[in-house]
C-alpha cells in the first residue's frame, strides 16, 4: 500500500510541491527502514529521507491545534531510527503499536482503579504501587535463586506462590 499511495496522492498535491516532497520522504523512510539489513549506503539514504522529513514537516503545523509536532511519539521515534539500526542491526518487524497498547492498558487500569475524583494523582499512585510490587517480587526471586537452601528462601518461595508471574520464574 505504501508503494501506491504516492501515486494516488500526487494529483491531490499538484499545487503543493513541498507537501509532495514530504510525502515522498515519508514513503522512502518507511521503505528503507523496513530493510532486513543495512549498509552504510542504506543508512545514508535513510538520513537523506529523514532530512526531507525534517525540512518539510513545518508545512503541517497549521493543521495541528498546538502548532507543534513535539508531542507525537511516532515522529520523535523516527529521529532515533538510524542510531537504533546501528545498535541492533535492523528495524524490520518493529513498530510503536506495542508500547502504545501497553500505555493504553496502563491508563485504562489506572483509571478504573480510581473513582474519577482527582484521578490523575490516583492513577500515578496506582502505577507507583505496581512498580513497588514488581520490585519486591524481583527481590524475592533473587533471594530464592541465589541460595535456594536458606530458610529465608523458603519463606520467599511461599510468598511468591500466589503470584503467577513469579511462580513461572520459580
Amino acid at each position: 500500500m505504501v508503494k501506491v499511495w504516492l501515486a494516488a496522492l500526487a494529483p491531490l498535491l499538484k499545487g503543493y510541491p513541498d507537501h509532495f516532497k514530504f510525502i515522498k520522504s515519508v514513503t522512502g523512510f518507511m521503505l528503507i527502514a523496513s530493510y532486513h539489513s543495512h549498509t552504510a549506503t542504506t543508512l545514508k539514504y535513510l538520513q537523506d529521507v529523514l532530512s526531507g522529513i525534517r525540512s518539510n514537516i513545518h508545512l503541517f503545523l497549521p493543521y495541528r491545534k498546538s502548532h507543534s509536532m513535539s508531542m507525537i511519539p511516532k515522529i520523535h521515534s523516527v529521529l532515533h531510527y538510524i542510531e537504533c539500526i546501528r545498535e541492533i542491526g535492523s528495524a524490520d518487524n518493529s513498530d510503536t503499536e506495542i508500547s502504545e497498547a501497553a500505555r493504553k492498558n496502563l491508563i485504562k487500569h489506572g483509571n478504573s482503579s480510581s473513582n474519577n475524583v482527582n484521578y490523575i494523582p490516583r492513577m500515578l499512585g496506582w502505577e507507583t504501587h505496581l512498580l513497588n510490587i514488581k520490585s519486591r517480587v524481583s527481590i524475592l526471586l533473587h533471594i530464592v535463586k541465589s541460595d535456594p537452601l536458606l530458610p529465608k528462601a523458603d519463606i520467599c518461595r511461599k510468598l511468591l506462590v500466589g503470584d503467577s508471574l513469579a511462580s513461572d520464574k520459580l
Side-chain angles (χ1 to χ4, degrees):
M1 186 173 136
V2 172
K3 294 175 186 177
V4 176
W5 79 333
L6 196 58
L9 289 174
L12 299 172
L13 297 172
K14 193 171 189 168
Y16 305 95
D18 291 335
H19 289 70
F20 186 75
K21 287 178 189 174
F22 177 80
I23 300 293
K24 184 178 174 185
S25 296
V26 169
T27 304
F29 176 81
M30 292 167 69
L31 293 173
I32 295 169
S34 66
Y35 287 179
H36 295 292
S37 63
H38 289 277
T39 63
T41 306
T42 60
L43 290 178
K44 168 79 172 87
Y45 292 150
L46 198 59
Q47 185 62 49
D48 292 345
V49 294
L50 274 174
S51 298
I53 291 171
R54 282 191 192 114
S55 64
N56 292 311
I57 199 164
H58 70 279
L59 299 169
F60 295 92
L61 292 178
Y63 304 108
R64 299 224 357 119
K65 209 181 267 189
S66 66
H67 297 289
S68 170
M69 296 289 189
S70 63
M71 295 300 288
I72 303 175
K74 287 188 180 187
I75 291 177
H76 178 76
S77 69
V78 162
L79 304 176
H80 299 287
Y81 260 63
I82 293 176
E83 65 189 63
C84 289
I85 288 170
R86 285 191 177 120
E87 285 181 30
I88 61 173
S90 76
D92 63 329
N93 296 325
S94 63
D95 58 21
T96 58
E97 297 300 321
I98 294 170
S99 60
E100 287 178 13
R103 181 177 168 269
K104 287 177 187 175
N105 196 19
L106 284 173
I107 288 175
K108 186 168 70 169
H109 288 304
N111 189 34
S112 67
S113 71
S114 75
N115 59 359
N116 293 328
V117 176
N118 204 10
Y119 62 92
I120 293 176
R122 288 178 183 260
M123 287 171 56
L124 292 173
W126 180 82
E127 190 173 349
T128 303
H129 176 71
L130 278 181
L131 185 64
N132 290 339
I133 289 173
K134 287 179 181 179
S135 63
R136 288 180 183 160
V137 165
S138 175
I139 291 168
L140 293 172
L141 280 169
H142 176 73
I143 291 169
V144 170
K145 288 182 178 180
S146 64
D147 198 353
L149 301 176
L150 286 176
K152 69 179 177 181
D154 193 40
I155 294 169
C156 294
R157 199 176 293 108
K158 288 178 184 175
L159 288 171
L160 292 169
V161 169
D163 187 336
S164 61
L165 181 67
S167 61
D168 290 344
K169 291 181 181 178
L170 284 174

